[in-house]
Amino acid sequence: MDEVRYDNYLQLDKILDSQRPCSKTSDGKQDFVHDELLFIITHQAFELWFKQILFELDDVLGKFSSGNLSDKDLSLVEQRLSRVEQIQELLLTQFASLETMTAQDFLDFRDFLIPASGFQSFQFRLIESKMGLLFSQRSQSKEYLLSAFESNQIKRLEQVLAQPSLFDHVQAWLERMPFLVHGQYAFLHDYQISVKRMLENERKRISQSPRSPMVQDIELHQLQQNESNFESLFDEKKYQDLIKEGKRRLSRSALLSALFIHLYRSYAIFHLPFRVLQLIVAIDENWERWRARHFRMIRKMIGKKIGTGGSSGHDYLRSTIDQHRVFSDFDQIPTYLLPGRYIPELPSELKSKLGFSWE
């Protein structure tokens, strides 16, 4: 058996020979424009990390698809998602090296790239789809998006979209949580009582405040907005109306479970679920940061020019920043959190099931 060597194990001959610049300098002193090599290597590094992210996501999706997620598998899910978050931080730092290239440097070879475009990154589209981004959420039509890919890639993308995404699995996982109703105990009932008490105390505080009537009116109006937000969670019909209007996507029962986990995260059984929810939100927000960083870089590089792939360039990228969030419903959770003194006390029988104990 041949000895394993560093260069052979890493296939460095293939990797280091895979940078093929398209440009030529007009003065003939160099085979290609100097900064094109940086451009190629940076984007190749993006794609290598996308491959690793897909590898981690596939493992997470596989564990969720088992139905009953064991503590061991949930721990592995947390590890995989934590790794994805760290890889995203690396992806964000790669923009710094790319931004050492000026707009004029980029223009010297940009035309040689047409019609190639980052819009054609198949792996990035797979990541978005596996996360749970729907065609209806995208700022470009399904037809336009699919036109960027070969027939075999389109088939693969449609297969992924037909399967449960991370969003689907997380929603189903939260909906299965058994603690919202336990015997005579109902979380929503006790939570509503606490919210009502909190809002009444807040209204009393405002009315007794020495501030001017104008300031009191402003604060009362804000309080009414808070009451309306809570009411949209308490009333099943109002919540379903928000889903129909496209203002919510996560089911009400899943959101209530996520809220329960946040409120009672100090109990041992919720330490890991709370961490998983934090990571999911962080990963979703990191893609938002990545798109925003990409948008700012493109704006500096090409201004209002059309993208090399025919898109509207920086206008298209700007539209994706907020619109392509998948787990934005979790942004609502802080709205529904309560100060510690208002968090409803759990019944003793339920509390005994939420911690570690030894006989």
Side-chain angles (χ1 to χ4, degrees):
M1 182 176 180
D2 293 338
E3 185 181 75
V4 177
R5 287 178 49 83
Y6 176 82
D7 52 351
N8 290 336
Y9 176 68
L10 296 180
Q11 299 287 291
L12 293 183
D13 56 337
K14 295 179 181 178
I15 294 174
L16 299 180
D17 193 41
S18 63
Q19 294 77 45
R20 305 295 173 87
C22 296
S23 62
K24 300 285 184 180
T25 56
S26 59
D27 58 11
K29 294 181 180 179
Q30 189 171 305
D31 289 337
F32 58 89
V33 176
H34 183 87
D35 281 9
E36 189 182 359
L37 184 62
L38 172 68
F39 185 85
I40 292 173
I41 289 176
T42 303
H43 285 80
Q44 286 179 335
F46 278 143
E47 292 294 333
L48 283 171
W49 284 123
F50 289 166
K51 181 176 182 178
Q52 185 67 39
I53 288 174
L54 285 168
F55 184 67
E56 304 300 340
L57 275 179
D58 284 342
D59 192 70
V60 168
L61 293 173
K63 288 179 170 42
F64 270 118
S65 65
S66 64
N68 294 319
L69 197 65
S70 68
D71 289 345
K72 178 182 177 182
D73 281 347
L74 187 60
S75 179
L76 290 172
V77 164
E78 189 272 340
Q79 291 178 34
R80 307 296 189 248
L81 294 177
S82 181
R83 182 175 294 165
V84 170
E85 183 192 25
Q86 290 302 311
I87 291 171
Q88 288 177 311
E89 293 297 335
L90 283 173
L91 292 175
L92 285 163
T93 62
Q94 286 183 195
F95 282 108
S97 60
L98 198 56
E99 287 172 344
T100 61
M101 177 174 61
T102 68
Q104 186 60 55
D105 295 332
F106 183 45
L107 284 176
D108 285 343
F109 66 87
R110 180 176 181 264
D111 287 349
F112 292 97
L113 308 182
I114 297 173
S117 167
F119 186 79
Q120 298 164 341
S121 173
F122 180 63
Q123 288 196 119
F124 190 69
R125 297 304 173 210
L126 285 179
I127 290 171
E128 290 180 320
S129 300
K130 288 175 185 284
M131 287 285 293
L133 184 65
L134 303 173
F135 274 121
S136 59
Q137 293 176 269
R138 294 183 181 275
S139 52
Q140 297 281 12
S141 68
K142 178 179 179 180
E143 292 72 23
Y144 185 83
L145 177 71
L146 294 181
S147 69
F149 303 111
E150 303 291 337
S151 58
N152 62 320
Q153 293 175 319
I154 293 173
K155 183 178 179 181
R156 172 66 180 137
L157 194 56
E158 289 179 335
Q159 287 173 343
V160 167
L161 289 166
Q163 297 167 353
S165 65
L166 182 62
F167 179 92
D168 298 324
H169 283 303
V170 169
Q171 176 172 259
W173 170 62
L174 288 169
E175 288 173 342
R176 292 195 300 269
M177 196 184 79
F179 303 111
L180 296 183
V181 177
H182 185 80
Q184 298 299 312
Y185 167 77
F187 164 67
L188 187 56
H189 175 267
D190 288 6
Y191 175 71
Q192 283 183 266
I193 292 174
S194 291
V195 169
K196 182 178 179 182
R197 182 162 60 92
M198 180 188 71
L199 294 174
E200 286 176 348
N201 288 340
E202 183 65 11
R203 181 173 285 103
K204 185 183 300 183
R205 181 196 65 77
I206 293 172
S207 64
Q208 296 175 352
S209 170
R211 296 184 178 185
S212 68
M214 182 186 72
V215 173
Q216 287 185 352
D217 287 344
I218 293 173
E219 291 186 342
L220 285 171
H221 177 71
Q222 292 172 338
L223 183 63
Q224 289 173 349
Q225 290 293 322
N226 288 339
E227 289 176 320
S228 178
N229 287 330
F230 281 110
E231 189 61 30
S232 69
L233 181 64
F234 298 153
D235 190 311
E236 173 71 28
K237 183 180 182 303
K238 288 183 178 180
Y239 193 90
Q240 291 303 318
D241 287 343
L242 291 175
I243 290 179
K244 291 176 183 177
E245 294 167 10
K247 296 178 180 178
R248 294 285 188 279
R249 181 180 173 189
L250 192 70
S251 71
R252 180 168 173 260
S253 61
L255 184 59
L256 285 170
S257 291
L259 175 61
F260 188 96
I261 290 170
H262 277 72
L263 288 172
Y264 300 104
R265 64 187 183 276
S266 60
Y267 288 93
I269 196 171
F270 294 128
H271 290 177
L272 200 52
F274 176 68
R275 172 65 177 154
V276 167
L277 291 178
Q278 280 189 310
L279 284 168
I280 288 169
V281 171
I283 289 168
D284 196 33
E285 290 177 343
N286 278 342
W287 287 129
E288 182 182 32
R289 291 170 60 203
W290 193 87
R291 292 183 180 101
R293 187 73 183 270
H294 191 198
F295 157 71
R296 290 195 297 271
M297 184 187 71
I298 293 300
R299 182 175 58 188
K300 288 192 293 185
M301 292 293 183
I302 68 172
K304 291 280 188 177
K305 292 184 178 71
I306 298 298
T308 52
S311 73
S312 55
H314 93 291
D315 286 337
Y316 161 71
L317 292 172
R318 180 171 55 187
S319 70
T320 68
I321 295 172
D322 294 323
Q323 194 169 332
H324 287 193
R325 284 283 305 281
V326 175
F327 290 93
S328 57
D329 281 354
F330 286 124
D331 295 344
Q332 300 300 319
I333 291 177
T335 302
Y336 303 125
L337 294 179
L338 306 177
R341 64 185 180 277
Y342 291 109
I343 297 176
E345 186 73 16
L346 297 175
S348 300
E349 183 184 355
L350 179 55
K351 284 196 287 187
S352 68
K353 299 178 183 296
L354 303 182
F356 295 121
S357 63
W358 292 267
E359 296 295 337

